[in-house]
Amino acid sequence: MRQPCGQPPHPPPATWQHGGVTAATHSSLFPQVPESADAVLDGLDPEQREVATALHGPVCVLAGAGTGKTRAITHRIAYGVRAGILQPASVLAVTFTNRAAGEMRGRLRQLGAGGVQARTFHSAALRQLQYFWPKAVGGEMPRLLERKIQLVAEAAARCRIRLDRNELRDVTGEIEWAKVTQTVPADYPAAVSKSLRDAPRDPAEISQVYAMYEQLKRDRSVIDFEDVLLLTVGILQDRHDIADHVRRQYQHFVVDEYQDVSPLQQRLLDLWLGDRESLCVVGDASQTIYSFTGATPDHLLNFRTRHPGATVVKLVRDYRSTPQVVHLANGLLGQARGRAAEHRLELISQREPGPEPSYVEYADEPAEAEGTARRIRELIDAGVPAGEIAVLYRINAQSEVYEQALADAGVPYQLRGAERFFERQEVREAGIALRGAARAGGNDALLDDVEDLPSQVRAVLSTKGWTTEPPAGSGAVRDRWESLAALVRLAEDFVRARPQATLADLVAELDERAAAQHAPTVQGVTLASLHSAKGLEWDAVFLVGLTEGMMPITYAKTDEQVEEERRLLYVGVTRARLHLSLSWALSRAPGGRASRRPTRFLNGIRPGSAAAGPRTAGGAGGVERGGGRRKRRGPVLCRVCGKTLTDAGEMKLMRCEDCPSDMDEALYERLREWRSDQAKELGQPAYCVFTDKTLMAIAEAVPGTETELAGISGVGGRKLDRFGADVLAICAGEEPGEADEED
């Protein structure tokens, strides 16, 4: 229920209901700064406009996926600043990732509110801690520990507790959870028991390691990221003069992704606020997927109880996804249970209808990966940019088979979670070169006879490794080229938006984007875990590996843990704008027993499934049987030692990685030379022709017929038609193309 905000309503533009509203999540790359405060409100829908004009008192925005929440709150801040109601330096907008904070700063700058602080909780707290440490504590502030895992390993060793690499990572996560829930080492075992949390080791052992870790930090005068929040809280609690100083500085707070706030972050926010209520929070309980880090939606769900006079606005108009995708997302939440489910938002798509989501069942995981890669290849061939496609999975370990399958299909990809764009060495070097060329102007010989801006950028970046064609192969050289190519594309976009722009203007834009961490997109299909996909969106999304045991994950045992897995799938579904595919495999390896079942979350949603109870026998309705041409195979055995193979790379070679190879080295080198020539001719990376593993398998098998060549993993029908004759000729000791000439 919405309550008056005390702000005079601004009448919606007459064109809103006739398509005048601007897309909520897909705005122009270089929009013009609005001319006035009222112009900031143009293009907002009625609910977004209500958020933007609710500038007084506590405000709670319940915003569904794709409803333009970031747009609403940035326009709210900008409207307040442009109308003279909010002073830019008095506003602190807080979010959870540097990427989100950078995007918010970029949007505020484009709206004419560039002086507003937009930071993560940790970044804002660290600035305050550094500033007030001499006054509150004295002396030099302890050094910040960038990575705590090495110190945790030392703490475990001192406690004579052996931890393997995975246990070490999990115990480090437990220490982080304990600190953000404000649990001291001695209380950790009781806290774990009370929260029904599955500890990776005996809680008493973790308590020991935790206590020793804290002791080592004190001995070495270092602090970790959680300490930044804890120490800031401690100073603000104990020193009222410092708390008053902070409150005079920041008088208006905006918190994005409020469903992810931890108890420690909420405590810090309360201290920042004091007894004031100039707070706007934005969140969606149905997107709470980080409870393992201490996040809880309780603060969002209890907001109206804590602030009875709050203005509450619900954003349910989904501008991101088609009605078909939204219908599936609503169906997922319709079966949800628990407190978060009671506050779910029913989304209403604002887009034109699109294709129905596809549900595809495969015999095994390699078949699922190959089928997914084939469908992605078809989308790219139909005009969908590779950068607008994502493959999302539950755990990172699932990525390898998809990396291999995409490489075999000639599809470029990028793994999410790599180094930030503007921190890459080649991007920094390119920025220096562009800045030097802009400063030299007409005196730079590189720019002789080069007139338009994109050509100037290409000329400068050609000295840093950019070429008109990408280099063959993958790895660091290809990654460097992709970074430079992204800068070239950015220059092309920039000049389309501002035809009169100069190289100096572009350099200034790059500097501002670097400061805001607002990177251009590197082209390639995104491979990412569902957790790391939060906050992102693509035209086409492939949700893979959707089997019981993976979704929900095996260790989700309590009702609340299972419901969080459902929300994780909901987040995955709502990343898709147009195309959505959901798939699963009945067995892990080819020839394995088909004992797996699709996730229970799709029961009653996917065609042919029952809403409850065991999976129905018989027809699967609209569920496709992926890889229909794929023959049932028995277990893949190593041709050297006879062991059953499960690793995708080993199955491609038909032998264990460490078993002796009988590969024809000379044949392998001839195949590599031929592949290099083909890649140059096609203007594609070498792996798009055949991967190294596939060439090794060919050189070991030395096929003499098309049937034998087709039996090698990585040689699909498309590649057999395109390259089969050449490969068989090379294997026979002939030159590629000889057979064609004789014919």
Side-chain angles (χ1 to χ4, degrees):
M1 178 178 171
R2 302 188 191 97
Q3 298 182 15
C5 63
Q7 190 72 16
H10 190 283
T15 57
W16 180 81
Q17 292 182 346
H18 299 89
V21 65
T22 309
T25 59
H26 217 179
S27 58
S28 169
L29 188 59
F30 300 104
Q32 297 296 316
V33 175
E35 295 179 357
S36 64
D38 285 348
V40 170
L41 303 176
D42 290 345
L44 299 181
D45 69 30
E47 292 78 24
Q48 293 171 348
R49 182 178 290 261
E50 189 171 348
V51 172
T53 55
L55 296 173
H56 299 292
V59 178
C60 179
V61 183
L62 302 175
T67 58
K69 66 178 179 62
T70 305
R71 177 182 178 80
I73 58 175
T74 51
H75 280 67
R76 177 182 185 272
I77 295 169
Y79 177 66
V81 168
R82 299 290 297 276
I85 298 169
L86 304 177
Q87 295 303 312
S90 72
V91 180
L92 178 59
V94 189
T95 187
F96 283 82
T97 66
N98 287 316
R99 185 195 63 79
E103 180 186 356
M104 192 176 289
R105 286 194 294 271
R107 291 201 192 192
L108 288 169
R109 177 167 56 84
Q110 291 165 355
L111 292 169
V116 173
Q117 292 290 309
R119 298 187 172 276
T120 64
F121 270 102
H122 284 92
S123 172
L126 180 59
R127 279 171 62 91
Q128 292 175 21
L129 193 62
Q130 290 169 331
Y131 184 81
F132 291 113
W133 186 272
K135 181 177 181 180
V137 182
E140 188 175 347
M141 194 181 102
R143 180 174 58 86
L144 183 62
L145 191 66
E146 293 288 342
R147 295 182 70 249
K148 60 172 70 70
I149 198 163
Q150 292 169 339
L151 203 59
V152 173
E154 184 178 341
R158 292 205 178 193
C159 295
R160 298 186 178 179
I161 296 172
R162 286 181 60 88
L163 301 175
D164 64 30
R165 190 163 62 176
N166 290 331
E167 288 176 321
L168 183 59
R169 188 180 64 241
D170 291 342
V171 168
T172 301
E174 286 302 292
I175 291 174
E176 291 173 350
W177 173 82
K179 297 185 76 165
V180 300
T181 55
Q182 302 172 82
T183 303
V184 298
D187 294 341
Y188 172 78
V192 167
S193 176
K194 183 179 179 182
S195 66
L196 302 178
R197 188 177 179 86
D198 285 332
R201 291 283 296 237
D202 178 1
E205 288 184 333
I206 294 177
S207 177
Q208 278 184 273
V209 175
Y210 180 12
M212 179 57 71
Y213 168 75
E214 292 296 314
Q215 182 62 51
L216 289 174
K217 285 199 291 105
R218 286 191 293 272
D219 292 346
R220 296 173 189 182
S221 189
V222 296
I223 59 175
D224 59 28
F225 279 102
E226 288 71 41
D227 291 329
V228 169
L229 300 184
L230 285 163
L231 290 167
T232 306
V233 163
I235 288 173
L236 295 178
Q237 282 182 162
D238 296 342
R239 293 290 300 267
H240 298 294
D241 57 330
I242 292 176
D244 288 342
H245 186 129
V246 172
R247 290 166 193 160
R248 284 195 301 272
Q249 169 69 49
Y250 296 118
Q251 298 172 17
H252 192 88
F253 295 86
V254 177
V255 184
D256 194 10
E257 304 288 3
Y258 193 56
Q259 77 278 353
D260 292 332
V261 165
S262 70
L264 178 56
Q265 289 164 333
Q266 180 62 48
R267 181 67 188 129
L268 178 59
L269 180 61
D270 289 340
L271 287 165
W272 282 341
L273 275 167
D275 58 2
R276 300 166 299 172
E277 290 201 315
S278 53
L279 171 66
C280 173
V281 300
V282 191
D284 178 9
S286 296
Q287 295 188 68
T288 306
I289 58 172
Y290 298 111
S291 68
F292 60 91
T293 67
T296 170
D298 289 347
H299 305 298
L300 175 67
L301 299 177
N302 295 336
F303 191 84
R304 282 167 287 186
T305 303
R306 294 185 64 191
H307 304 277
T311 299
V312 179
V313 185
K314 292 182 179 180
L315 301 183
V316 296
R317 301 177 197 262
D318 188 322
Y319 296 93
R320 175 187 300 158
S321 306
T322 62
Q324 288 76 10
V325 173
V326 167
H327 177 72
L328 172 53
N330 287 337
L332 272 175
L333 289 190
Q335 299 180 2
R337 293 175 174 79
R339 190 169 178 225
E342 293 169 5
H343 295 79
R344 61 178 171 263
L345 299 168
E346 188 85 8
L347 299 178
I348 304 169
S349 175
Q350 306 296 298
R351 292 193 55 170
E352 293 294 320
E356 289 290 340
S358 65
Y359 302 85
V360 194
E361 185 174 274
Y362 292 93
D364 51 67
E365 286 184 5
E368 184 178 11
E370 289 169 16
T372 300
R374 186 167 56 249
R375 285 166 171 255
I376 289 173
R377 180 79 261 174
E378 291 168 357
L379 282 177
I380 293 173
D381 291 344
V384 179
E388 288 294 351
I389 303 174
V391 178
L392 306 181
Y393 34 75
R394 177 60 181 84
I395 59 174
N396 286 319
Q398 292 171 274
S399 77
E400 184 180 6
V401 67
Y402 289 93
E403 293 179 58
Q404 187 71 52
L406 289 172
D408 286 344
V411 175
Y413 64 85
Q414 56 179 334
L415 282 167
R416 175 144 180 81
E419 186 181 23
R420 290 181 191 167
F421 183 86
F422 286 104
E423 292 176 0
R424 297 176 190 172
Q425 180 69 24
E426 64 270 21
V427 175
R428 291 202 300 267
E429 290 174 358
I432 292 170
L434 289 169
R435 192 173 295 108
R439 195 177 298 119
N443 298 322
D444 193 328
L446 268 176
L447 305 183
D448 288 347
D449 303 320
V450 178
E451 295 183 0
D452 64 284
L453 177 58
S455 297
Q456 291 175 345
V457 172
R458 294 187 199 102
V460 173
L461 297 189
S462 65
T463 67
K464 298 298 175 184
W466 181 83
T467 56
T468 53
E469 297 295 332
S474 57
V477 173
R478 174 70 185 217
D479 291 344
R480 179 183 179 88
W481 184 90
E482 288 285 1
S483 298
L484 299 177
L487 290 173
V488 171
R489 287 193 297 273
L490 184 68
E492 292 166 351
D493 290 336
F494 189 60
V495 81
R496 274 195 293 271
R498 302 182 187 173
Q500 305 305 315
T502 65
L503 189 56
D505 294 331
L506 177 64
V507 168
E509 178 67 26
L510 289 175
D511 288 341
E512 290 177 342
R513 289 166 74 89
Q517 285 300 328
H518 184 189
T521 302
V522 176
Q523 286 302 310
V525 172
T526 298
L527 295 177
S529 70
L530 285 163
H531 280 102
S532 65
K534 177 79 166 60
L536 303 175
E537 58 185 84
W538 296 270
D539 283 345
V541 169
F542 290 79
L543 301 175
V544 299
L546 300 181
T547 59
E548 285 289 311
M550 192 60 75
M551 176 57 66
I553 198 78
T554 307
Y555 51 75
K557 294 183 172 63
T558 67
D559 289 345
E560 182 45 45
Q561 288 169 341
V562 170
E563 285 305 313
E564 181 153 337
E565 292 287 300
R566 186 195 306 276
R567 295 194 294 269
L568 188 57
L569 181 57
Y570 171 80
V571 166
V573 167
T574 54
R575 300 310 95 193
R577 298 191 193 107
L578 181 61
H579 303 280
L580 177 62
S581 172
L582 304 95
S583 64
W584 57 91
L586 297 179
S587 68
R588 178 168 182 261
R593 190 162 63 89
S595 58
R596 291 178 169 179
R597 294 184 295 117
T599 173
R600 71 191 75 170
F601 299 144
L602 297 180
N603 288 345
I605 296 176
R606 64 182 176 86
S609 65
R615 185 172 163 225
T616 55
V623 177
E624 299 175 38
R625 304 296 175 182
R629 294 175 294 177
R630 192 181 188 88
K631 295 180 180 178
R632 290 291 295 175
R633 295 182 291 190
V636 179
L637 304 179
C638 173
R639 54 190 167 79
V640 180
C641 69
K643 175 185 169 185
T644 300
L645 302 176
T646 57
D647 177 77
E650 292 181 342
M651 287 190 286
K652 187 180 285 287
L653 293 173
M654 297 292 288
R655 64 172 173 81
C656 302
E657 192 78 48
D658 51 1
C659 276
S661 167
D662 53 358
M663 182 176 71
D664 184 330
E665 296 284 353
L667 174 57
Y668 178 64
E669 287 306 316
R670 287 199 303 275
L671 287 168
R672 281 174 58 88
E673 289 174 12
W674 165 83
R675 181 182 67 171
S676 178
D677 292 340
Q678 289 292 319
K680 288 177 182 174
E681 185 177 321
L682 296 170
Q684 293 182 342
Y687 69 78
C688 292
V689 180
F690 286 118
T691 63
D692 287 345
K693 280 275 174 62
T694 301
L695 291 188
M696 289 173 66
I698 293 170
E700 290 184 354
V702 194
T705 66
E706 278 198 359
T707 302
E708 292 174 355
L709 180 58
I712 296 173
S713 180
V715 184
R718 178 171 156 269
K719 292 194 177 184
L720 187 66
D721 293 341
R722 193 168 194 177
F723 305 123
D726 279 5
V727 171
L728 289 173
I730 295 170
C731 289
E734 302 167 357
E735 286 299 316
E738 277 185 5
D740 291 339
E741 290 168 12
E742 289 171 6
D743 291 343

